[in-house]
Amino acid sequence: MKQLQKKVSKKNPILFSYIFDSEGRASELDTKRASTELKNEGLTWVHLDATNPQTQNWIRKEVDYLDHLIIDALTAEETRPRVTEFTDGLLIILRGVNLSHDNDPEEMVSVRVWIDRDRIISLQRRDMKAIFDIKDHITQGRTIKTSSEFLYNLIYQIITVTSPFIYDLGDQMDVLEEKMLTTHDTSFRKQVLEIRRKATISKRYIGPQKEAIAKLKICHYDWIDEWSKRHFQENLDQITIMIEEIDEVRDRSHILSDELFSALTEKLN
């Protein structure tokens, strides 16, 4: 898959930015105007390249009201999915599968977000397909009226991109179990172990993500309305099903691995 991220100047850490009108229609912003609109009322989304050496300085200058702990978390190299409440907004870190051709999809990439009533500031260290899917949807005319609606769309898109990878692990287990029953072939034990490895790594990231989404339902901000909370519940239900699928794949891989070992031992005997 080709790189999603467009090239930007080292002096410009902004990958893209939008301002939304009262009807939720988006207009793309240039770098200078993005900085201005972040200080005004009305919903603005700025997406930054966290690997750009100018990013941290840009944040400290253009959104200087952010606590240094928030800035450090947004630009940190290693992250864990979480939601942290502050007086006016939320620090949110989420992960989704990495679909770049040179990386394993289970090594999930992160998006770090500061979100309040009028501002969405997101950062990436590597391309996340879900972010660029939202960008494409906006370009095609999707309306987003509030920051909480944006947040629901972000989580939904991450799940939409991630879930096929998770369910494919189950499909692979179906094939191997059928192969074991019909051919008694024991040569694919490495494939079983590889599926288990992918499921284990995925659980490491998706488990905390479930806790983060659950926390969104009980946040008390007037800009998170009941519509958004109902949709966060939908996000939570979807990710719960994904975790159940991961656990089932891991259990099945253990059982099949034991059966393969027993079959191999019997052959040796």
Side-chain angles (χ1 to χ4, degrees):
M1 187 183 79
K2 65 181 181 180
Q3 283 293 94
L4 294 167
Q5 177 182 323
K6 65 182 182 180
K7 292 183 178 179
V8 292
S9 165
K10 287 186 177 181
K11 294 183 179 180
N12 178 16
I14 299 177
L15 296 175
F16 55 81
S17 56
Y18 291 95
I19 185 173
F20 300 84
D21 65 20
S22 59
E23 299 300 317
R25 294 184 295 264
S27 301
E28 193 161 7
L29 300 172
D30 59 32
T31 302
K32 186 175 181 180
R33 192 175 168 211
S35 301
T36 302
E37 294 296 342
L38 280 175
K39 298 177 174 65
N40 296 334
E41 291 185 2
L43 186 60
T44 303
W45 175 27
V46 177
H47 186 58
L48 302 163
D49 177 8
T51 65
N52 189 302
Q54 299 300 319
T55 296
Q56 196 167 89
N57 289 336
W58 187 93
I59 294 175
R60 293 186 189 282
K61 177 183 177 183
E62 304 300 341
V63 282
D64 54 3
Y65 61 88
L66 290 183
D67 188 285
H68 71 91
L69 295 175
I70 299 171
I71 298 173
D72 290 344
L74 289 173
T75 56
E77 288 194 22
E78 296 297 327
T79 59
R80 180 179 183 274
R82 68 181 189 271
V83 168
T84 306
E85 296 180 70
F86 290 85
T87 303
D88 298 319
L90 293 167
L91 169 67
I92 302 170
I93 298 174
L94 300 170
R95 283 188 177 249
V97 293
N98 181 2
L99 297 180
S100 297
H101 69 279
D102 56 343
N103 289 286
D104 295 328
E106 69 272 13
E107 297 290 347
M108 295 186 176
V109 296
S110 66
V111 60
R112 309 95 183 283
V113 183
W114 168 261
I115 188 166
D116 56 34
R117 176 187 295 279
D118 296 319
R119 284 162 287 269
I120 303 160
I121 302 168
S122 57
L123 292 88
Q124 66 169 55
R125 299 192 73 84
R126 290 182 289 171
D127 290 335
M128 175 184 279
K129 185 176 185 299
I131 285 286
F132 288 85
D133 285 345
I134 293 176
K135 179 182 185 296
D136 290 343
H137 295 160
I138 289 172
T139 302
Q140 293 163 14
R142 174 174 292 181
T143 59
I144 296 178
K145 294 183 179 180
T146 65
S147 52
S148 59
E149 184 180 348
F150 172 91
L151 184 53
Y152 158 71
N153 277 278
L154 173 60
I155 296 169
Y156 174 82
Q157 203 60 41
I158 289 174
I159 291 172
T160 297
V161 173
T162 303
S163 57
F165 166 74
I166 299 301
Y167 297 130
D168 183 60
L169 295 178
D171 293 340
Q172 291 178 49
M173 285 303 304
D174 290 340
V175 171
L176 295 181
E177 287 170 342
E178 181 67 21
K179 188 175 180 181
M180 176 67 183
L181 290 172
T182 57
T183 68
H184 303 289
D185 186 358
T186 60
S187 64
F188 52 88
R189 191 161 180 260
K190 286 184 178 180
Q191 292 174 258
V192 176
L193 295 175
E194 180 65 12
I195 292 172
R196 186 192 304 173
R197 183 189 71 84
K198 290 180 178 181
T200 300
I201 295 174
S202 300
K203 178 71 176 287
R204 184 190 306 160
Y205 295 123
I206 294 177
Q209 199 137 296
K210 177 184 175 182
E211 299 171 14
I213 295 171
K215 191 170 183 179
L216 290 174
K217 291 174 51 194
I218 58 174
C219 289
H220 298 292
Y221 297 102
D222 56 6
W223 50 271
I224 300 181
D225 56 18
E226 289 304 315
W227 180 93
S228 299
K229 290 183 178 181
R230 288 196 301 272
H231 283 73
F232 291 150
Q233 179 62 54
E234 178 186 339
N235 295 146
L236 186 60
D237 292 342
Q238 291 170 323
I239 203 166
T240 299
I241 293 171
M242 287 169 58
I243 290 173
E244 290 171 353
E245 178 72 13
I246 291 172
D247 289 339
E248 183 180 341
V249 167
R250 292 171 71 189
D251 291 342
R252 290 167 65 192
S253 70
H254 278 291
I255 293 170
L256 186 55
S257 183
D258 290 343
E259 290 178 354
L260 288 168
F261 181 76
S262 297
L264 182 61
T265 301
E266 186 176 338
K267 280 186 176 183
L268 291 173
N269 290 335

